[in-house]
């Protein structure tokens, strides 16, 4: 079941990445909120199939997010870097980035982001075989 879900996610990521609009790459060059969001979206688009590109765009988003002092987008960049590690089976690194994103989201009370962080951590714990921790995080994601 997990294998099928990951395969579907991988294939949808390939299709999505091939359909990344040129305008997103143009927005990426801007040094404002639009450029920051474009960098985050590019990290997201590459997370499942091209870890190096996801890291590249994610790190650029982190730098601009820090410069713009935008904690919400900074946390999303951490989230997609963590997701890239997760999709490639590097659970300790994935957990590290998702926990950093969670910490920021708790301080800014980002409900949507908190749900994503708890869900992502639940997925990691589930894959590691820690059903109790996974269930706890999935329940927190629903709150």
């Amino acid at each position: 079941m997990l294998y099928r879900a990951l395969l579907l996610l991988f294939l949808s990521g390939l299709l999505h990445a091939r359909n990344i609009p040129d305008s997103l790459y143009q927005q990426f060059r801007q040094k404002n909120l639009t450029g920051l969001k474009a960098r985050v979206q590019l990290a997201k688009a590459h997370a499942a199939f091209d870890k190096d590109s996801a890291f590249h765009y994610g790190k650029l988003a982190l730098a601009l997010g820090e410069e713009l002092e935008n904690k919400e987008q900074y946390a999303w960049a951490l989230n997609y870097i963590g997701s890239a590690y997760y999709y490639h089976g590097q659970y300790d690194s994935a957990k590290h980035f998702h926990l950093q994103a969670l910490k920021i989201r708790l301080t800014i009370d980002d409900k949507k982001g908190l749900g994503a962080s708890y869900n992502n951590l639940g997925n990691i714990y589930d894959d590691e075989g820690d059903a109790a921790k996974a269930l706890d995080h999935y329940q927190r994601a629903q709150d």
Side-chain angles (χ1 to χ4, degrees):
M1 175 90 165
L2 177 62
Y3 174 75
R4 276 192 222 150
L6 288 175
L7 180 61
L8 180 61
L9 185 61
F10 174 77
L11 293 175
S12 68
L14 283 177
L15 292 174
H16 177 69
R18 290 184 182 158
N19 294 320
I20 297 171
D22 290 337
S23 61
L24 192 58
Y25 288 104
Q26 292 170 354
Q27 293 169 354
F28 157 81
R29 294 181 183 93
Q30 298 178 27
K31 300 282 187 184
N32 56 22
L33 181 58
T34 299
L36 175 57
K37 287 182 176 183
R39 291 166 194 214
V40 169
Q41 288 305 307
L42 287 166
K44 176 183 179 181
H46 289 89
F49 71 94
D50 184 355
K51 183 173 64 169
D52 291 337
S53 291
F55 292 155
H56 172 72
Y57 292 118
K59 288 177 184 178
L60 291 173
L62 291 176
L64 186 56
E66 188 171 359
E67 183 180 323
L68 298 176
E69 298 179 2
N70 188 309
K71 292 180 180 181
E72 180 183 4
Q73 292 301 311
Y74 190 91
W76 280 111
L78 291 168
N79 181 82
Y80 294 124
I81 292 171
S83 293
Y85 277 118
Y86 172 78
Y87 294 134
H88 292 86
Q90 296 173 287
Y91 298 135
D92 288 339
S93 296
K95 201 180 312 179
H96 171 77
F97 281 93
H98 285 303
L99 286 169
Q100 283 185 49
L102 176 64
K103 187 175 184 179
I104 291 168
R105 289 167 166 162
L106 286 167
T107 64
I108 63 173
D109 197 33
D110 176 7
K111 300 289 187 205
K112 180 180 177 183
L114 284 168
S117 286
Y118 284 125
N119 188 66
N120 290 333
L121 288 163
N123 290 339
I124 294 168
Y125 293 126
D126 186 38
D127 286 357
E128 290 179 332
D130 192 337
K133 268 190 175 178
L135 181 60
D136 177 56
H137 282 78
Y138 289 142
Q139 288 172 335
R140 290 181 189 201
Q142 292 180 344
D143 292 342

